[in-house]
Amino acid sequence: MSKSVTPYKDSDLGKKEQVAQMFDNISGNYDGLNRVISFGIDVKWRKKVLKMVSDKNPETILDIATGTGDLAILMTKTNAKKIIGLDISAGMLFCFPEK
Protein backbone atom coordinates (compact mmCIF):
# COMPACT_ATOMS: atom_id res chain seq x y z
CA MET A 1 0.00 0.00 0.00
CA SER A 2 2.94 2.40 0.41
CA LYS A 3 3.27 4.89 -2.41
CA SER A 4 6.64 6.08 -3.67
CA VAL A 5 6.85 9.86 -3.29
CA THR A 6 9.49 11.91 -5.07
CA PRO A 7 9.82 15.71 -5.11
CA TYR A 8 10.50 15.87 -8.87
CA LYS A 9 8.24 13.58 -10.92
CA ASP A 10 10.22 14.08 -14.14
CA SER A 11 13.58 13.12 -12.59
CA ASP A 12 15.32 9.77 -12.82
CA LEU A 13 17.10 10.42 -9.51
CA GLY A 14 16.14 8.58 -6.34
CA LYS A 15 14.30 10.33 -3.52
CA LYS A 16 17.49 10.93 -1.49
CA GLU A 17 19.24 12.56 -4.45
CA GLN A 18 16.16 14.62 -5.28
CA VAL A 19 15.92 15.93 -1.71
CA ALA A 20 19.62 16.86 -1.78
CA GLN A 21 19.09 18.59 -5.14
CA MET A 22 16.07 20.49 -3.80
CA PHE A 23 18.08 21.85 -0.86
CA ASP A 24 21.05 22.60 -3.14
CA ASN A 25 18.68 24.70 -5.27
CA ILE A 26 17.38 26.81 -2.35
CA SER A 27 20.57 26.96 -0.30
CA GLY A 28 21.36 30.59 -1.10
CA ASN A 29 17.96 31.78 0.16
CA TYR A 30 17.37 29.15 2.85
CA ASP A 31 18.13 31.20 5.97
CA GLY A 32 15.93 34.10 4.92
CA LEU A 33 13.10 31.82 3.85
CA ASN A 34 13.34 29.87 7.10
CA ARG A 35 13.15 33.08 9.15
CA VAL A 36 10.02 34.24 7.32
CA ILE A 37 8.23 30.88 7.13
CA SER A 38 8.81 30.14 10.82
CA PHE A 39 7.93 33.70 11.92
CA GLY A 40 11.33 33.83 13.66
CA ILE A 41 10.66 30.77 15.82
CA ASP A 42 13.79 29.16 14.35
CA VAL A 43 15.92 31.72 16.20
CA LYS A 44 14.13 31.00 19.49
CA TRP A 45 14.48 27.22 19.32
CA ARG A 46 18.17 27.48 18.47
CA LYS A 47 18.75 29.64 21.55
CA LYS A 48 16.86 27.09 23.64
CA VAL A 49 19.01 24.26 22.23
CA LEU A 50 22.16 26.30 22.96
CA LYS A 51 21.13 26.58 26.61
CA MET A 52 20.30 22.86 26.86
CA VAL A 53 23.58 21.81 25.25
CA SER A 54 25.67 24.31 27.23
CA ASP A 55 24.24 22.91 30.47
CA LYS A 56 25.63 19.46 29.51
CA ASN A 57 29.12 20.89 28.83
CA PRO A 58 29.94 18.52 25.93
CA GLU A 59 33.42 18.16 24.44
CA THR A 60 32.06 17.26 21.00
CA ILE A 61 28.86 18.31 19.23
CA LEU A 62 27.44 16.66 16.10
CA ASP A 63 24.82 18.67 14.20
CA ILE A 64 23.06 16.32 11.77
CA ALA A 65 21.12 18.05 8.96
CA THR A 66 23.08 21.21 9.77
CA GLY A 67 21.84 23.06 6.70
CA THR A 68 23.72 26.34 6.48
CA GLY A 69 25.20 25.74 9.91
CA ASP A 70 23.25 28.26 12.00
CA LEU A 71 23.02 25.88 14.96
CA ALA A 72 26.59 24.60 14.61
CA ILE A 73 27.87 28.17 14.51
CA LEU A 74 25.80 29.05 17.58
CA MET A 75 27.32 26.04 19.37
CA THR A 76 30.69 27.84 19.29
CA LYS A 77 29.34 29.67 22.36
CA THR A 78 29.66 26.40 24.30
CA ASN A 79 32.95 25.04 25.64
CA ALA A 80 32.93 22.23 23.07
CA LYS A 81 36.34 21.48 21.60
CA LYS A 82 34.92 19.99 18.39
CA ILE A 83 31.74 20.86 16.47
CA ILE A 84 30.82 18.86 13.38
CA GLY A 85 28.03 19.73 10.94
CA LEU A 86 26.72 17.16 8.46
CA ASP A 87 24.15 17.63 5.72
CA ILE A 88 22.89 15.71 2.68
CA SER A 89 23.10 18.90 0.61
CA ALA A 90 26.53 20.04 -0.49
CA GLY A 91 24.94 23.34 -1.52
CA MET A 92 23.82 24.01 2.04
CA LEU A 93 27.25 23.19 3.42
CA PHE A 94 28.94 25.58 1.03
CA CYS A 95 26.48 28.33 2.00
CA PHE A 96 27.70 28.60 5.58
CA PRO A 97 27.18 32.23 6.54
CA GLU A 98 30.25 34.16 7.56
CA LYS A 99 29.88 35.14 11.20
Side-chain angles (χ1 to χ4, degrees):
M1 282 258 194
S2 72
K3 183 180 175 184
S4 177
V5 177
T6 53
Y8 301 106
K9 304 282 184 223
D10 59 346
S11 175
D12 292 332
L13 298 174
K15 183 177 181 179
K16 178 181 173 183
E17 290 79 15
Q18 287 188 27
V19 169
Q21 181 182 48
M22 179 184 68
F23 280 102
D24 286 348
N25 290 340
I26 65 169
S27 61
N29 299 314
Y30 182 81
D31 289 333
L33 291 170
N34 194 25
R35 206 83 355 103
V36 170
I37 291 170
S38 74
F39 298 104
I41 292 173
D42 63 308
V43 174
K44 292 178 184 176
W45 73 253
R46 271 193 287 284
K47 287 181 181 178
K48 186 173 183 173
V49 170
L50 173 62
K51 167 87 171 87
M52 292 169 62
V53 171
S54 292
D55 289 348
K56 299 291 183 183
N57 201 26
E59 286 190 25
T60 303
I61 297 171
L62 173 60
D63 181 11
I64 298 173
T66 196
T68 59
D70 279 358
L71 184 60
I73 292 166
L74 190 61
M75 291 296 119
T76 62
K77 294 183 179 186
T78 68
N79 291 322
K81 293 179 180 145
K82 187 180 219 179
I83 302 168
I84 303 164
L86 299 175
D87 202 279
I88 192 172
S89 165
M92 292 293 252
L93 293 171
F94 291 112
C95 260
F96 265 52
E98 297 202 20
K99 305 240 176 167

